[in-house]
Each structure stands twice: as C-alpha cells, then as structure tokens.
Amino acid sequence: MYDVVAIGELLIDFTPVKYGEKKLPIFEQNPGGAPANVLAMNARLGGKTGFIGKVGHDQFGCFLKKVIEDVNINASGLVMSKDVHTTLVFVHLSEQGERSFSFYRKPGADMMLSKEEINKELIDNCNMFHFGSVSLTDEPCKSATITAVEYAKKKGKIISYDPNYREALWRDYRVAKEEILQVMPLADIVKISDEEMEFLFGITDMDECVKLIKEMGVSLVLISMGDKGSYYSNKNVSGFIKSFKMNSIDTTGAGDAFLGAVHYKIRNKDLKDIQMMEKEELDKILLFANAAGGITTTKKGAIPAMPNEEIINRLCLK
C-alpha cells in the first residue's frame, strides 16, 4: 500500500549556480516538478510513494526516471514519450533567494499525459492522492488529472491539492483563477501559499481565507508563508507556527518539502483522524514541516536539497 501517489509534472529545473569568466550565469541541471518534489520529501523520510506523469524519452527524461527511482518513488506510472521532449524550466534567483521561472513547454511532455495513460493500479493501492494546478493548464493533461482525481475520490482516497499558481503557464489570470478554484471542492487537504491565497481570493486575512476554503468541503487547510511560518486549520482547531531562521540561498521546492513532510506525518491516518487532530499534534507536525522546508532552502535545487528525518529532528529540538 502506498502512503501517497501523485500526478503531475516531472521536469528539469536549471538553477543558476555561479557566473562564468564572461560574468554570464552557469546553470545546473536539477530534478523538479512540484508533485514529484512532494513525493521525494516523503520518500526521503521513509514514506512509500508512487508517481504518475510523463517525460520525454530523451536524456533528461532518463535522468528524471533514475532520480525518482533512486529516492524510492515508484515509477511504474511514469510514461516516457518519443514524440515530445521533457519539460525544462530555468529558475532565476533574486539576491534573497526568491525565484521566478522561464518554462520551455510548448509542448512539454508533462502536459501531454492522457487519461488513457493513467496507472489506476497505483491509485487503487494508495491511501492519499495528490495533485497540483500546473497540470490543469493544458490538454490533455488537464483531463487526465481530473479523471485521476475523480477516480481516486470514488475509491475513497484522501485527496491532497496544491493550487501552485505559475503565471507564465496560463494564458490569462482570470482563467487560472477559475480553473484552480473549480477543482478545490474535490480536495480534502489544501496547501496554499499566502501569495496564492491573495491571488485566488483577493484577501490577506487567513481566517477569512480558511473559512472560504472550508466552505468548499476541505477538511485540512495549510497556509505556507515562507520565512514567516505556516498556518493550519481543520474542523477542530487552528494555529500558527513560526519558521526557523535559515541562511536561505534557493527557495525552490521549500513549499513542496513542507507538504511532503506533512504527508509523511499523517500517512497512517484516515480522513476522520485528519479532521479531528488536536492542536498539540498539529503544532508538532507543522514544526517538523517548517523545518523540512527551511532546510531545503539552504542548498540549490529542490530534491537534492531535501533533508532526512534526523536532520529535521535536530533542528526541531534547537
């Protein structure tokens, strides 16, 4: 039985690492893609995970397949296409380590996954099914994603959703808002950043945002706020946990590491357990997740920067 199975993008992040002789940036090839990152954090902690997605049958795709297998993510749901290339993303970092993106995806393999290519056996054998909004940007991956989520829902799986808005991938921000919000009622767990909260709901008040999300039927809302901390709310309690002060150089994958750590900590729970968790337990889970996300920012790249449980626990005890 898999703790979490995810569908979505698996791609190459080209991350700037230094400048060459002509003062031009040199980029390093790193594995990326939010759903895959979430699984990688979980798997690094010892969770059992599986991935559904598509890459090109090229050098980059073969590299990505090996990466997820090396971190013990089941790759039986990974389709390798001879018709389209693996999606590439160039990550641009500010002096504070904040990122922006340039996508090479017209088309990219991740957006060409069809509903006929979904490995339903992986979904049948998982406790939680996770997806994000990047796979809602284009067809056929949009139909494939919604088909997979609805199938998982019908099978009684816990549904986790990350409405990770990437402006460059949408033709219009109004379409993005509509599409991202339309699938939210399918979710039991929603992890949203404070920036995405403001974009989707037009508000900055977390309590008001949580209320709106819960009215859609969501059982656990998680709001990540970078170096400010994180907020949680289920049917029972709400709370805020401060972040750890880190020497951040690259925030890529920090939110994914945060969510992957939460998934790992609730891997043996059913939906009712998640709905009724008490404050003490949620505080510990969010502290652990904040540490996972914070440590990930201290190195370049996403999956390569993710820490193991011993390192996270050491920070939590400080």
Side-chain angles (χ1 to χ4, degrees), residues 5-8 52 113 115 118-120 123 126 128-133 135-136 141-162 182-189:
V5 168
I7 190 170
I52 298 170
L113 180 74
K115 57 187 178 183
I118 296 167
N119 185 331
K120 289 186 177 178
I123 302 175
C126 74
M128 183 185 297
F129 188 72
H130 175 68
F131 74 110
S133 66
S135 52
L136 303 175
C141 63
K142 176 186 171 183
S143 293
T145 300
I146 293 173
T147 296
V149 174
E150 289 178 341
Y151 179 81
K153 191 85 173 174
K154 186 179 177 182
K155 290 287 183 174
K157 310 303 178 182
I158 298 167
I159 307 297
S160 167
Y161 177 42
D162 179 6
Q182 192 170 21
V183 299
M184 200 168 281
L186 293 170
D188 300 302
I189 299 170

Side-chain angles (χ1 to χ4, degrees), residues 68-81:
I68 65 172
E69 288 177 336
D70 284 349
V71 294
N72 294 319
I73 298 171
N74 184 298
S76 62
L78 181 66
V79 179
M80 302 190 74
S81 172

Side-chain angles (χ1 to χ4, degrees), residues 161-180:
Y161 177 42
D162 179 6
N164 49 330
Y165 175 60
R166 298 287 180 264
E167 183 181 3
L169 296 180
W170 294 89
R171 64 183 182 274
D172 185 280
Y173 77 92
R174 288 160 293 197
V175 172
K177 285 175 70 171
E178 182 181 348
E179 298 285 350
I180 291 170

Side-chain angles (χ1 to χ4, degrees), residues 49-115:
T49 64
F51 180 76
I52 298 170
K54 197 169 195 174
V55 295
H57 200 289
D58 49 31
Q59 183 181 6
F60 295 128
C62 292
F63 164 75
L64 290 170
K65 184 174 186 288
K66 184 176 186 304
V67 166
I68 65 172
E69 288 177 336
D70 284 349
V71 294
N72 294 319
I73 298 171
N74 184 298
S76 62
L78 181 66
V79 179
M80 302 190 74
S81 172
K82 293 182 179 179
D83 299 321
V84 282
H85 292 300
T86 302
T87 300
L88 308 179
V89 183
F90 283 83
V91 182
H92 311 287
L93 299 175
S94 70
E95 291 182 3
Q96 293 75 35
E98 293 298 328
R99 70 250 140 94
S100 57
F101 306 93
S102 296
F103 287 82
Y104 289 77
R105 189 184 183 244
K106 293 185 183 279
D110 75 290
M111 59 189 277
M112 300 307 293
L113 180 74
S114 70
K115 57 187 178 183

Side-chain angles (χ1 to χ4, degrees), residues 18-292:
K18 59 181 179 180
Y19 285 87
E21 291 180 7
K22 297 181 179 180
K23 296 186 178 179
L24 297 174
I26 296 173
F27 289 84
E28 178 180 76
Q29 172 182 311
N30 281 304
N37 292 341
V38 171
L39 294 182
M41 183 71 259
N42 194 329
R44 185 151 289 164
L45 295 170
K48 192 174 181 185
T49 64
F51 180 76
I52 298 170
K54 197 169 195 174
V55 295
H57 200 289
D58 49 31
Q59 183 181 6
F60 295 128
C62 292
F63 164 75
L64 290 170
K65 184 174 186 288
K66 184 176 186 304
V67 166
I68 65 172
E69 288 177 336
D70 284 349
V71 294
N72 294 319
I73 298 171
N74 184 298
S76 62
L78 181 66
V79 179
M80 302 190 74
S81 172
K82 293 182 179 179
D83 299 321
V84 282
H85 292 300
T86 302
T87 300
L88 308 179
V89 183
F90 283 83
V91 182
H92 311 287
L93 299 175
S94 70
E95 291 182 3
Q96 293 75 35
E98 293 298 328
R99 70 250 140 94
S100 57
F101 306 93
S102 296
F103 287 82
Y104 289 77
R105 189 184 183 244
K106 293 185 183 279
D110 75 290
M111 59 189 277
M112 300 307 293
L113 180 74
S114 70
K115 57 187 178 183
E116 292 78 20
E117 293 171 316
I118 296 167
N119 185 331
K120 289 186 177 178
E121 187 178 344
L122 279 176
I123 302 175
D124 290 336
N125 292 294
C126 74
N127 182 50
M128 183 185 297
F129 188 72
H130 175 68
F131 74 110
S133 66
V134 168
S135 52
L136 303 175
T137 57
D138 295 273
E139 293 288 4
C141 63
K142 176 186 171 183
S143 293
T145 300
I146 293 173
T147 296
V149 174
E150 289 178 341
Y151 179 81
K153 191 85 173 174
K154 186 179 177 182
K155 290 287 183 174
K157 310 303 178 182
I158 298 167
I159 307 297
S160 167
Y161 177 42
D162 179 6
N164 49 330
Y165 175 60
R166 298 287 180 264
E167 183 181 3
L169 296 180
W170 294 89
R171 64 183 182 274
D172 185 280
Y173 77 92
R174 288 160 293 197
V175 172
K177 285 175 70 171
E178 182 181 348
E179 298 285 350
I180 291 170
L181 288 171
Q182 192 170 21
V183 299
M184 200 168 281
L186 293 170
D188 300 302
I189 299 170
V190 167
K191 179 263 168 191
I192 187 170
S193 73
D194 50 353
E195 292 176 350
E196 289 156 354
M197 176 185 79
E198 187 172 359
F199 167 69
L200 292 174
F201 297 100
I203 55 177
T204 55
D205 183 272
M206 287 184 292
D207 290 319
E208 185 62 27
C209 176
V210 166
K211 181 183 176 184
L212 292 171
I213 295 175
K214 282 183 174 179
E215 286 174 355
M216 298 183 190
V218 176
S219 296
L220 175 63
V221 181
L222 304 168
I223 302 176
S224 59
M225 295 173 280
D227 60 4
K228 295 187 288 291
S230 59
Y231 181 90
Y232 65 81
S233 183
N234 67 357
K235 287 193 174 183
N236 199 22
V237 291
S238 299
F240 170 80
I241 303 295
K242 287 184 179 179
S243 65
F244 294 89
K245 293 196 179 213
M246 311 299 297
N247 182 24
S248 298
I249 60 171
D250 181 3
T251 59
T252 306
D256 303 328
F258 168 87
L259 183 56
V262 172
H263 284 172
Y264 175 73
K265 286 295 189 179
I266 63 174
R267 66 194 182 282
N268 295 321
K269 297 183 182 296
D270 60 26
L271 184 56
K272 189 174 180 181
D273 292 333
I274 291 169
Q275 291 170 343
M276 302 308 295
M277 277 191 292
E278 297 289 347
K279 180 174 174 56
E280 183 180 0
E281 184 175 13
L282 277 163
D283 282 352
K284 288 179 180 178
I285 290 172
L286 270 289
L287 184 74
F288 183 87
N290 282 357

